[in-house]
Amino acid sequence: MAMRGILRLGEVQIRVLDMAEAKRHYGKYMGLHEMMTDAEGKVYFKAWNEKDHHSVVLRETDRAGLDHFAYKVFDDATLTELQRKIEAFGIAVENVDAGVYPKSGRRIKFRVPTGQEMHLYAEKEYAGNTLGETNPGTLPDEGVIRGMRIDGLDHLFVLGPNMADTVRLFTEVFDFDLAEELVDEPGGNQILTFFSCSSRAHDIAFGMHPEPDRFHHASFRLSSTEDHVYAGDLMGKYGIPIEQNDRHGITGVKTIYFFDPSGNRNEIFVGGHTRYPDTPKLTWTMDHLGLAAFAQSLHVPETFLGVST
């Protein structure tokens, strides 16, 4: 698929309560590589197989949650065109000069209808994955793949009101596909929506919530089921609280949900649907919530629906 426009989720900035604990969790346990600390004390990480400088930013504060999420777009002309479309949609856009966000080119930022701060950018400093671009082989040096063996940041799930406006924004302005949805009844109201801008099962998901700007989880992809088992073993070894180890009906991924020391939910997963432009939308109904959410146990923990940051 020749992708243009919005390419992928490129960055999440997560609020943490204790930076030392958070660095241990995201660095040692999850295996992300620490890239830098800025003058404000924010810490920047990337997964080994990501080529841009960073994808996860941690900021220490007194309240857990999500500061912003950012998607990379194809080029600067795309960024300019998307700004025009967002403003025509009725959303105010702020321009941010290159370098204000470290290692990043110019950005635009705005609030999506569910309340979160979203950024778009076209350029970020290239860091590579240690393999190079000529005769790269398949594996980096020993020790580069570590912790939970995460390949990269994949998607996020956020919560808030105004689902109908969110669907319009992501399909009509950003040109995402509405890949899957959970509705209260056939033909009824959307409770959860899953959007794809690539061949992935989804690149972002939204859930209805009365409060705006709620953060459900950031998700990281693995390359094999063996890595999935290994990651689960590490969680047991280090006492990381696991919420659910199961398989989603929605998206079809094999998943583990767990929490960082500040209470922010993380997900690691493997597999899932491959999406093409002619793939039909899948619809799930609330009377089959167990199958939709966790297709092996058919059990949805109370925390999964009730806890967000």
Side-chain angles (χ1 to χ4, degrees), residues 81-149:
E81 177 63 12
L82 283 168
Q83 177 170 355
R84 183 192 66 78
K85 291 181 177 180
I86 295 164
E87 290 173 335
F89 187 83
I91 294 176
V93 175
E94 180 181 342
N95 287 279
V96 183
D97 291 338
V100 171
Y101 288 88
K103 311 297 182 180
S104 180
R106 76 176 184 97
R107 296 186 174 201
I108 60 173
K109 66 179 184 178
F110 48 93
R111 292 276 173 181
V112 296
T114 47
Q116 291 78 17
E117 182 177 299
M118 179 175 176
H119 298 187
L120 297 175
Y121 66 94
E123 298 176 356
K124 185 178 282 187
E125 182 178 297
Y126 183 88
N129 64 357
T130 77
L131 293 175
E133 281 68 55
T134 301
N135 303 319
T138 58
L139 290 174
D141 293 339
E142 292 183 9
V144 174
I145 303 176
R146 62 193 193 190
M148 296 181 192
R149 301 175 179 172

Side-chain angles (χ1 to χ4, degrees), residues 27 29 35 49 57 80 92 101-102 109 112 122 136 140 185 195 203 210 228-229 241 245 251-252 274 284 296 304:
Y29 299 160
M35 300 299 290
N49 205 21
V57 185
T80 299
Y101 288 88
K109 66 179 184 178
V112 296
E185 60 184 7
F195 299 90
D203 292 279
H228 191 274
V229 173
N245 185 340
T251 74
T274 300
W284 303 77
Q296 294 176 337
F304 191 75

